[in-house]
């Protein structure tokens, strides 16, 4: 609780500074524009660069362009992040969506040696992190909030649930063999599926045992 109160005081003090408020608004709009421009050609399914395949950057973007719907999906993600970021009420969602996208771009531009752009993307990543920190009060329940009750586990759940998944995995492969008409059942495969089902079921049961429920 001491850490939470300390962060609350720091955040309240920083966000009350008018110069930083203006800087935050400026950063949001600037980053939004930085995503809107490259999102348009992707959404319209047009090439992002005219570099040849002999260039590592051109080779990557040409290959990315060939993915079709995924290429457009990236464009829509960038556009949605930009729109959410520029609207004050949804700026926290925009910052959270913006961050993983720009971090991925930053790693990409540094790995393929995108001249000049690597520095810009690093600065954009730092700016995005700043915006996420600015919304600390909106994310605080994730770090410090806790649901009041433990989940109600069933009797011997750590035993029967793994067994259920183990038997279920073997049954599933048997049903699949019946419809496919091929000999899929082998001892080593059955043993592997049984063990895998036990591990999966035990993990589910263990997670359920320590899972908390209720309203934060």
């Amino acid at each position: 609780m001491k850490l939470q109160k300390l962060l609350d005081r720091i955040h309240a003090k920083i966000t009350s500074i008018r110069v930083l408020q203006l800087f935050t608004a400026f950063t949001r709009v600037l980053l939004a524009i930085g995503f809107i421009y490259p999102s348009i050609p992707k959404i319209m399914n047009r090439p992002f660069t005219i570099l040849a395949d002999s260039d590592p950057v051109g080779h990557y973007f040409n290959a990315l362009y060939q993915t079709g719907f995924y290429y457009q999906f990236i464009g829509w993600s960038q556009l949605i992040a930009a729109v959410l970021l520029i609207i004050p009420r949804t700026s926290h969602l925009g910052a959270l969506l913006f961050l993983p996208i720009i971090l991925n771009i930053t790693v990409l531009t540094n790995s393929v040696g995108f001249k000049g752009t690597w520095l810009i993307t690093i600065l954009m990543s730092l700016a995005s992190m700043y915006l996420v920190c600015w919304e600390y009060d909106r994310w605080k329940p994730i770090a410090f909030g806790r649901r009041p009750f433990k989940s109600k586990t069933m009797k011997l759940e750590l035993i029967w649930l793994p067994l259920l998944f183990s038997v279920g995995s073997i049954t599933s492969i048997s049903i699949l063999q019946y419809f496919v008409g091929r000999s899929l059942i082998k001892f080593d495969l059955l043993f592997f599926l049984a063990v895998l089902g036990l591990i999966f079921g035990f993990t589910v049961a263990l997670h359920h045992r320590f899972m908390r429920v209720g309203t934060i």
Side-chain angles (χ1 to χ4, degrees):
M1 294 299 293
K2 290 183 179 180
L3 177 60
Q4 180 181 348
K5 291 180 180 179
L6 175 62
L7 292 176
D8 287 346
R9 289 197 298 269
I10 294 175
H11 179 263
K13 188 173 183 179
I14 291 177
T15 54
S16 64
I17 301 174
R18 293 184 179 181
V19 175
L20 289 180
Q21 293 174 0
L22 184 60
F23 174 74
T24 301
F26 164 80
T27 304
R28 285 174 178 171
V29 175
L30 186 63
L31 289 185
I33 293 174
F35 256 20
I36 291 175
Y37 174 74
S39 71
I40 302 302
K42 296 185 183 74
I43 292 174
M44 299 181 69
N45 200 29
R46 294 177 179 175
F48 184 70
T49 66
I50 55 175
L51 297 173
D53 279 344
S54 57
D55 186 288
V57 179
H59 180 73
Y60 173 83
F61 279 108
N62 290 333
L64 185 63
Y65 173 66
Q66 299 299 324
T67 59
F69 177 74
Y70 177 67
Y71 183 71
Q72 293 177 301
F73 170 77
I74 295 174
W76 280 110
S77 299
Q78 289 179 307
L79 183 61
I80 292 172
V83 172
L84 291 175
L85 189 62
I86 210 169
I87 300 174
R89 190 174 182 84
T90 60
S91 58
H92 61 301
L93 298 175
L96 191 65
L97 180 59
F98 197 101
L99 182 58
I101 298 175
I102 192 60
L103 283 177
N104 179 68
I105 295 174
T106 301
V107 174
L108 166 66
T109 54
N110 280 270
S111 63
V112 298
F114 209 147
K115 296 180 180 179
T117 307
W118 66 270
L119 179 59
I120 296 175
T121 55
I122 288 176
L123 293 175
M124 290 179 70
S125 295
L126 293 174
S128 182
M129 292 178 187
Y130 165 78
L131 293 180
V132 171
C133 292
W134 183 269
E135 306 292 349
Y136 158 77
D137 56 322
R138 286 171 162 176
W139 307 125
K140 186 174 68 172
I142 298 177
F144 298 104
R146 188 178 183 184
R147 291 190 172 101
F149 309 110
K150 286 186 177 181
S151 59
K152 296 181 180 179
T153 58
M154 302 179 188
K155 190 175 181 180
L156 301 176
E157 186 176 294
L158 287 172
I159 297 176
W160 64 262
L161 195 58
L163 291 174
L164 177 64
F165 278 100
S166 181
V167 174
S169 62
I170 296 175
T171 304
S172 299
I173 197 66
S174 301
I175 295 175
L176 179 62
Q177 178 187 255
Y178 175 79
F179 286 102
V180 173
R182 296 180 180 177
S183 181
L184 300 175
I185 299 180
K186 296 180 181 179
F187 178 77
D188 54 347
L189 176 61
L190 292 178
F191 180 77
F192 173 75
L193 290 175
V195 173
L196 192 64
L198 285 173
I199 296 174
F200 182 83
F202 182 78
T203 304
V204 172
L206 194 64
H207 179 89
H208 183 224
R209 184 182 183 88
F210 292 99
M211 186 172 67
R212 302 192 71 89
V213 295
T215 304
I216 296 178

